[in-house]
Amino acid sequence: MGSLLNVGARALQANQVALQTAGNNIANVNVVGYSRQKVVLETVPGQFSASGYVGQGVNVQTIQRNFSEFLTRQSTLASSTHAADATRVDKLRQLEGVFGGGTQGLGASISDMLNAFSDVANAPTDMTARTVVLTRVDETAARMRATSQQLDDLQTGVAQELSQKVTTINSLASSIAAVNEEISRTQGSGQPPNDLLDRRDQLIKELNQYVQTSSVMADDGTIGLYIGGSQELVLGNIASKVAIVSDDFGDSRSSKLAVIRAGTPLALDENMLGGGEVSGLLRFQNTDLNEARNLLGRLTLATTTVMNDQHKLGLDLDGNVGGNLFSPTVMGPSNVMEPKAPAVLNTGGMTGANMLTLGVSDATKLVASDYEMQFTGAGTFTIIRRSDGATFTDAQVPPSASAAPDVIAEIDGLQIHNPGFAAAAPGDRFLFKPFSTSASNVASVFSTPRALAVASPVSATMGAANTGSLQQVSVSARSNPLAPAALGVVLTFTGANSYTRSDQGATVFTYTPGQAIEYTVAGLPLTDWSLTLQGTPKAGDTLTVNANLYPTLSAGNAAAMMNLRDVATFDGAALTDGYAGLISQVGIRTQSADYASKVSSSIATNVERDRAGVSGVNLDEEAASLLQYQQAYQASAKMIQIAQSIFDTLIQNLSR
């Protein structure tokens, strides 16, 4: 009788636990991170009798958590990757908005500025036309600065987000360490702490939204988390702190995630971070935003440099040599340009006044990139172009013959100067950022319409006795003022295809219509003046190149300024196409990132669906389980009732 009662009591208790578990599943159906639980029952060993082993009922072995370690890990990693991609593409869309098109865009401003010289070319003394040019120059400089400020604002926002997310990472890591400690304390019970395990898994998933982790399970039930490949973030009940630090060069616009070890930050390789919003923000800041800043800086530097150089080749209404239209991007006799930054571990003498500096040698060859210089010896080095990783040795970038004595290398239209001729130690590194502040510092620097130098300092006069069809296409100055020897040069044609020059004695030159005739000094091209003719001369025809004595009637330099529109300046593209190329590069990068985000989103959704299929709560299934356990519970109660009835009957019969 007791056995029947015990069997019923055990069954009643087991089914009650099953009902409670199913109810708990239903109650937590909308709780994020909850894993469906299931009662695992086991048979109580039977009691031996002469008739065989008699069953003793059922016991609850454990409450099992429906959980797939593989799917949970895959879901966490996939969502971490998507978090990085989504964060980056969101910022890229903001970046794309900075570079607007249409009439309000920077490209339209540059075109309007160059086109404004056409009115001056038609009427050199028209003060209204000159004032319009001045206004256009000022507007262009203002738009360049405004665009740079927008990039700075975006940079500030990214820095603030990184700071906030690092705070969240530290908080989540501390919470995981605390849960680890609670889990380790339950190991002696012999039963899994399902709710604590769910909580830890959810915390780890939330942490991976910010930084991707790898995990290792310990014997005491705790889990170790590592970031950046192998740097421990959580180990048992101890959590390390992370922080955002500057890179090796102290560049304020380039950051790294670092783990704090004994109060010292250990910077992590950005390429080893994997997914997470912090990784996406760092990639955007250090790569995408930096490239956009370089593209804008190159556009500004090249445009202002070529316009300044051309304007200096003209004369104003008072016959004075033209000055800068824009604030110069160079300073000092060695054509140096800031900024540059040394690596913090440099040991050589290139510091302070002896710091390496950077200058522009050819604005049409600039590449939108930063450069890293690594010294392999006192006078040997390697230059890395960071935009594409191209590497150049000192033998591949020698200074040109016309370079200043302190120039030690020329690359992509840039010159590297060693003003103090100091020696570097092997292993010393320097970072050059030639375009980072170009747009933020640009400004128009002339304010008087009369100072607009649109007249050419050189003119060409046909001989009065010429009988051929020779015509002047253009004559332009290559330097200003011109060397005395370059003036008064007479070209005398000896036939339809040949001529002599008064500065070259009896040497006969070949004449080709449309081909420029350059005046050169010491074998260096593009100095003093350039002359282009067309038509067929007759023998004895002459042309004299001399100084322009009537600058108020000349607009040769205005035409040259206007012709800058078609000069190949940006990777072979014309000056007026530079902004379109900038927008194109930003757009392509955004489109690529958007595609990557959509792919990672699809993968994360599919993997999470698979995980939820194992761990998620199905209300229909739980409702069916409730009915099953309810019937079993009622049957168990009936069993106890029958056992009690039999026992009561037996007692009554014995009392008679």
Side-chain angles (χ1 to χ4, degrees), residues 408-433:
I408 61 175
E410 290 192 29
I411 179 172
D412 297 336
L414 298 171
Q415 294 178 329
I416 298 177
H417 297 256
N418 183 5
F421 296 96
D428 281 3
R429 300 161 57 210
F430 295 84
L431 175 67
F432 294 99
K433 298 177 70 67

Side-chain angles (χ1 to χ4, degrees), residues 107-302:
S109 178
I110 293 174
S111 296
D112 291 344
M113 174 181 61
L114 293 171
N115 291 335
F117 282 94
S118 62
D119 291 335
V120 181
N122 294 327
T125 58
D126 187 344
M127 289 299 172
T128 301
R130 287 170 169 263
T131 302
V132 169
V133 170
L134 186 152
T135 302
R136 297 298 186 205
V137 169
D138 191 63
E139 288 177 352
T140 300
R143 289 193 188 184
M144 289 174 174
R145 292 195 305 273
T147 305
S148 178
Q149 183 59 52
Q150 287 180 280
L151 294 182
D152 289 343
D153 293 342
L154 192 52
Q155 169 80 36
T156 301
V158 170
Q160 291 174 346
E161 286 192 50
L162 283 170
S163 177
Q164 294 168 357
K165 294 184 189 306
V166 162
T167 300
T168 304
I169 289 173
N170 289 331
S171 176
L172 288 171
S174 297
S175 298
I176 293 171
V179 175
N180 263 346
E181 185 172 10
E182 291 185 58
I183 291 174
S184 66
R185 290 175 180 173
T186 66
Q187 289 302 294
S189 68
Q191 295 293 344
N194 293 328
D195 293 335
L196 287 176
L197 294 174
D198 280 347
R199 182 183 172 194
R200 184 174 67 184
D201 287 343
Q202 181 59 27
L203 287 171
I204 292 175
K205 186 170 185 177
E206 291 177 10
L207 176 63
N208 276 263
Q209 291 295 302
Y210 300 99
V211 61
Q212 184 174 309
T213 66
S214 57
S215 58
V216 176
M217 186 67 70
D219 293 339
D220 61 353
T222 62
I223 195 168
L225 298 180
Y226 301 84
I227 61 174
S230 60
Q231 297 302 317
E232 62 210 40
L233 179 63
V234 177
L235 198 58
N237 62 351
I238 299 175
S240 299
K241 297 289 185 180
V242 296
I244 296 295
V245 298
S246 299
D247 66 4
D248 297 344
F249 299 93
D251 183 7
S252 61
R253 293 190 175 102
S254 181
S255 304
K256 288 187 175 184
L257 183 67
V259 178
I260 309 301
R261 293 275 185 271
T264 301
L266 177 63
L268 304 177
D269 185 350
E270 180 185 329
N271 297 320
M272 296 294 292
L273 290 180
E277 294 180 10
V278 168
S279 176
L281 287 173
L282 287 176
R283 184 178 178 187
F284 170 77
Q285 174 190 255
N286 299 342
T287 303
D288 303 320
L289 186 56
N290 187 59
E291 181 190 18
R293 196 184 300 278
N294 283 338
L295 287 169
L296 175 63
R298 180 182 69 159
L299 177 71
T300 302
L301 181 59

Side-chain angles (χ1 to χ4, degrees), residues 61-120:
Q61 181 182 15
T62 189
I63 308 297
Q64 185 181 65
R65 184 172 66 125
N66 280 26
F67 168 76
S68 169
E69 181 178 357
F70 172 76
L71 290 177
T72 299
R73 181 175 298 178
Q74 289 297 104
S75 176
T76 298
L77 294 179
S79 63
S80 181
T81 300
H82 174 58
D85 291 340
T87 299
R88 178 172 174 244
V89 76
D90 177 64
K91 293 301 177 184
L92 278 169
R93 290 195 184 104
Q94 295 181 40
L95 179 62
E96 202 172 25
V98 171
F99 299 103
T103 58
Q104 300 302 314
L106 179 55
S109 178
I110 293 174
S111 296
D112 291 344
M113 174 181 61
L114 293 171
N115 291 335
F117 282 94
S118 62
D119 291 335
V120 181

Side-chain angles (χ1 to χ4, degrees), residues 384-591:
I384 302 172
R385 187 166 57 206
R386 284 191 162 191
S387 61
D388 58 6
T391 302
F392 306 87
T393 64
D394 55 291
Q396 294 174 306
V397 288
S400 61
S402 60
D406 66 341
V407 175
I408 61 175
E410 290 192 29
I411 179 172
D412 297 336
L414 298 171
Q415 294 178 329
I416 298 177
H417 297 256
N418 183 5
F421 296 96
D428 281 3
R429 300 161 57 210
F430 295 84
L431 175 67
F432 294 99
K433 298 177 70 67
F435 311 109
S436 63
T437 60
S438 299
S440 60
N441 295 331
V442 67
S444 61
V445 294
F446 86 106
S447 58
T448 305
R450 293 187 62 85
L452 193 63
V454 298
S456 174
V458 62
S459 64
T461 306
M462 295 289 181
N466 286 2
T467 59
S469 60
L470 191 67
Q471 294 180 351
Q472 175 185 318
V473 176
S474 67
V475 59
S476 57
R478 298 296 191 186
S479 59
N480 194 14
L482 285 79
L487 301 176
V489 176
V490 179
L491 277 64
T492 303
F493 288 86
T494 58
N497 299 306
S498 61
Y499 65 92
T500 61
R501 287 172 45 172
S502 61
D503 63 315
Q504 297 292 329
T507 304
V508 178
F509 297 89
T510 299
Y511 164 67
T512 302
Q515 181 175 312
I517 299 172
E518 302 282 352
Y519 180 87
T520 59
V521 174
L524 299 178
L526 305 181
T527 59
D528 286 295
W529 53 257
S530 175
L531 173 68
T532 303
L533 303 173
Q534 66 179 12
T536 304
K538 297 290 187 179
D541 286 357
T542 63
L543 181 145
T544 303
V545 179
N546 222 323
N548 182 7
L549 301 179
Y550 307 100
T552 59
L553 302 178
S554 171
N557 202 44
M561 296 289 292
M562 193 167 53
N563 291 337
L564 291 175
R565 296 175 300 187
D566 302 320
V567 174
T569 307
F570 301 106
D571 304 321
L575 178 64
T576 50
D577 293 333
Y579 188 68
L582 186 158
I583 294 176
S584 175
Q585 292 193 49
V586 174
I588 290 172
R589 189 174 285 263
T590 303
Q591 186 179 34

Side-chain angles (χ1 to χ4, degrees), residues 24 298 304 366 420 551:
N24 186 54
R298 180 182 69 159
T304 58
L366 299 175

